[in-house]
Amino acid sequence: MAALYGGRHRWKRINCLHIFSRKLTGKYDYDLLVIGGGSGGLACSKEAAQLGQKVAVLDYVEPSAKGTKWGLGGTCVNVGCIPKKLMHQAALLGTAVKDAKKYGWQIPDTISHDWPTMAEAIQNHVKSLNWGHRVQLQDNKGHSESLLTNIVIATGGRPKYPTNIPGAAEHGITTHTNTHLIQYCAGFLKGIGLDTTVMVRSIALRGFDQQMASLVTDYMEAHGTRFAWKSVPNRVDKLSSGALQVTWTDTQTGSEHKDTFDSVLWAVGRAPETKALGLDKLGVQLNKETGKIVVGPDESTSVPNIYAFGDIGEGRPELTPTAIKAGKLLAHRLAGQSTELMNYDNVPTTVFTPLEYSCVGLSEEEAEKRHGKDGIEIYHAFYKPLEFTVAERDASQCYIKVVCEQGGNGKILGLHFTGPNAGEVAQGFAMGFQCGATYSHLIQTVGIHPTCAEEVVKVHITKRSGLDATVTGC
């Protein structure tokens, strides 16, 4: 497999599609050309190479507005999932240290967090992943049966700046700013003791179950994160002191407010990396509003032999695991080894807020929209993790919701969980969705005691009943 990386190389044009290449000797004969060295592109290319295909991977990282660049692996490895989870763990450890006193550990009254130590450790791990990807690409060997047969686009997206707000790009940062400088997310920052404010234009966690979203933000507010609800920023100015002054409007009252901050992080969505590829000249159809590539169930575009998947695909979940799986399945289809398509239904995911939230399937709102209010039954429970008891931690936002079809065995339409290790809990139950899990299956399952996950298989009180859903006993 040929791995071509961004650097001082030259551009060449193939049928109006700009391809970044090095001066390589020999023929440019490939079965598959993958544009994008992120999680999805790498998964597709490695799988294709293992199937005997000759593959070229083209990867180039356009520096961020602050000049940040990174190695192979894309957003997830470098500035996304991996550093996010590690930073989240840093915050959880801070909470654990506080809990430790209740468990008998003798902890000094004053403890502090050293950002450079954490940042260096995370960067070292990320660099090890970058190197691992390069080695794997170079180790995979394939053969060529023809001049370029198929092109796969897996370039993902980049964070957007609100270009209509003066000072936004000049003074603000995004999640693609260097990890040594980044102020990553509100919950994590508060978890390591930093003062944090979140400005929300409308609702939190759009697209997620809104009752669960409220529990997440209620927990964050209760633990010190400030929220400026129904507010829109007007401008960002840098003061002589170096602080950033943000001016915003409360859309409910129309009043204007100002405050100063050390950093301003924009988390206002992502834009697909399509503009530099010249796809319009090839006739590849894009969604005019989102800029994403219109794709079919088999990841095909409007142009034969050009495919796209991952965040770049219109209507696809912007999640690393879906891109990885879709890429592997596409590689098998292109190699003639399979006809299996990616199943984008019931994809589990987790929001790594201080109180983690995981879900799989439909939200309550979407289930009601599809099946009607009388067509669904919702089982729920407020529970207290055993770990919270001795530590005397508030568990009022630890909650489970199972959305089912009304009648019959009660096919499970959605499962939602807030609490410790939420992702680990949802991952196991997600397999049940692929097998047509029902409420009957759920209550027939024996729980593992004492765990938070066992509370899921014990839910028996319906919202419709109006009964208190608080779990009592052990």
Side-chain angles (χ1 to χ4, degrees), residues 96-165:
V97 169
K98 296 174 184 176
D99 289 351
K101 291 183 178 181
K102 295 286 186 178
Y103 282 90
W105 287 96
Q106 302 301 306
I107 307 292
D109 291 335
T110 303
I111 59 172
S112 62
H113 179 267
D114 184 61
W115 181 284
T117 299
M118 178 201 68
E120 182 180 3
I122 292 175
Q123 281 296 308
N124 287 341
H125 178 65
V126 167
K127 288 175 182 177
S128 74
L129 297 177
N130 297 150
W131 176 252
H133 282 310
R134 294 187 65 155
V135 171
Q136 288 177 335
L137 287 179
Q138 292 164 356
D139 285 348
N140 282 310
K141 305 294 182 181
H143 71 278
S144 176
E145 296 178 352
S146 62
L147 192 61
L148 186 59
T149 304
N150 294 298
I151 295 175
V152 169
I153 304 171
T155 49
R158 298 288 288 264
K160 294 189 293 187
Y161 281 94
T163 55
N164 61 318
I165 298 175

Side-chain angles (χ1 to χ4, degrees), residues 316-444:
R316 300 305 194 218
E318 295 186 0
L319 297 168
T320 294
T322 55
I324 290 173
K325 190 164 185 63
K328 290 182 177 181
L329 290 173
L330 177 58
H332 278 261
R333 293 197 300 274
L334 295 180
Q337 300 293 315
S338 171
T339 59
E340 182 182 356
L341 299 176
M342 174 65 188
N343 178 8
Y344 287 100
D345 293 329
N346 297 321
V347 172
T349 189
T350 297
V351 182
F352 289 103
T353 37
L355 184 71
E356 296 179 11
Y357 164 40
S358 63
C359 60
V360 56
L362 303 182
S363 65
E364 181 177 346
E365 294 89 345
E366 185 62 27
E368 187 174 314
K369 180 180 176 181
R370 295 189 190 185
H371 299 272
K373 193 166 187 177
D374 294 331
I376 61 174
E377 193 73 87
I378 297 173
Y379 299 88
H380 67 150
F382 285 94
Y383 71 100
K384 187 162 190 173
L386 183 62
E387 302 92 317
F388 283 25
T389 56
V390 172
E392 299 179 338
R393 289 173 59 184
D394 177 29
S396 56
Q397 287 88 29
C398 292
Y399 180 68
I400 296 163
K401 179 195 291 190
V402 181
V403 184
C404 302
E405 279 186 352
Q406 178 72 276
N409 291 325
K411 180 181 178 182
I412 301 177
L413 304 173
L415 187 149
H416 303 264
F417 178 99
T418 52
N421 307 303
E424 311 296 341
V425 173
Q427 182 67 80
F429 286 105
M431 190 179 76
F433 278 71
Q434 302 302 318
C435 306
T438 66
Y439 179 68
S440 297
H441 291 139
L442 192 70
I443 60 174
Q444 289 167 11

